Amino acid sequence: MEMGFEWPWQYNFPPFYTLQPNVDTRQKQLSAWTSLVLSYCRHNKLYTMNVMEIQESPLFNNKKIQRKLSLESVQVVLEELRRKGNLEWMDKNKSRFLIMWRKPDEWGKVIYQWVSKNGMTNSVFTLYELIAGDDTEGEEFHGLDETMLLRSLEALQLEHRAEIITLNDSRGVKFF
């Protein structure tokens, strides 16, 4: 899973795993953590995660230098991501979250570019066809989490470029 992922220099720097008390230093540190989380999730195509799993993952747990970010600090990093609009909690206990290394409107643009490029405006797709169909194989949104896909399509719907529809017992979308 970690194949080909470039860890930033801070990853092997022990003090990185202790949130700094100094406000400026801490802000720089949180900024480094949030960009690491986003690039790691993007590299591994992760969309929904749970806090306990992520704390144990290589992301926050560097076995090489035997350093691990505390659960409390992990929550501070996640909260910072939420503040920036890159994370949304999926439950009241804040144990599961949707990580948005690309925001819904950005995914909407990517999907719509593909639709336009392939002359498929005025076509109807099931959600499954978009994220798992043969036509989208190799596209960046192939394998996209369904929650995230719906958010992206809602963003396109606001721009009057798409309409989410119900097809029999599943959902689909018509592009304009």
Side-chain angles (χ1 to χ4, degrees), residues 3-175:
M3 289 258 315
F5 183 70
E6 294 280 326
W7 295 100
W9 68 269
Q10 297 99 317
Y11 185 71
N12 292 313
F13 183 58
F16 190 48
Y17 295 83
T18 307
L19 286 188
Q20 301 303 308
N22 175 298
V23 178
D24 294 340
T25 313
R26 188 188 186 115
Q27 216 29 65
K28 286 188 185 85
Q29 190 182 18
L30 280 176
S31 176
W33 270 117
T34 54
S35 81
L36 171 58
V37 171
L38 293 173
S39 55
Y40 178 87
C41 291
R42 176 181 217 148
H43 180 83
N44 293 299
K45 290 198 170 225
L46 303 170
Y47 303 101
T48 53
M49 298 176 85
N50 104 24
V51 177
M52 297 318 254
E53 276 171 22
I54 197 175
Q55 192 209 8
E56 290 304 323
S57 81
L59 185 52
F60 292 120
N61 186 1
N62 185 335
K63 292 195 164 86
K64 195 169 97 184
I65 61 166
Q66 300 181 331
R67 282 289 195 280
K68 179 177 170 176
L69 202 60
S70 74
L71 189 53
E72 217 175 314
S73 299
V74 167
Q75 282 160 335
V76 171
V77 171
L78 297 178
E79 194 44 45
E80 181 70 5
L81 283 160
R82 189 199 60 76
R83 211 178 53 75
K84 290 179 167 180
N86 296 108
L87 180 147
E88 208 170 278
W89 292 108
M90 298 176 81
D91 60 352
K92 283 189 178 63
N93 312 342
K94 297 187 174 183
S95 64
R96 287 195 64 70
F97 58 89
L98 183 65
I99 185 84
M100 298 180 266
W101 32 275
R102 227 197 207 129
K103 295 182 181 160
D105 58 323
E106 295 167 348
W107 276 118
K109 282 188 186 76
V110 171
I111 293 167
Y112 198 78
Q113 275 168 351
W114 175 80
V115 169
S116 309
K117 189 180 77 193
N118 290 291
M120 296 188 204
T121 46
N122 298 316
S123 313
V124 172
F125 291 88
T126 63
L127 299 189
Y128 179 84
E129 284 174 315
L130 278 178
I131 51 180
D134 295 342
D135 290 344
T136 63
E137 192 77 57
E139 293 300 323
E140 212 182 340
F141 57 87
H142 190 86
L144 186 64
D145 178 78
E146 195 169 311
T147 313
M148 199 50 158
L149 175 64
L150 275 168
R151 296 279 159 77
S152 329
L153 297 175
E154 284 161 7
L156 285 174
Q157 195 164 260
L158 286 173
E159 298 169 7
H160 309 293
R161 291 175 162 201
E163 186 186 352
I164 299 168
I165 54 180
T166 304
L167 304 160
N168 307 326
D169 52 358
S170 70
R171 285 202 266 189
V173 58
K174 181 178 168 94
F175 292 101

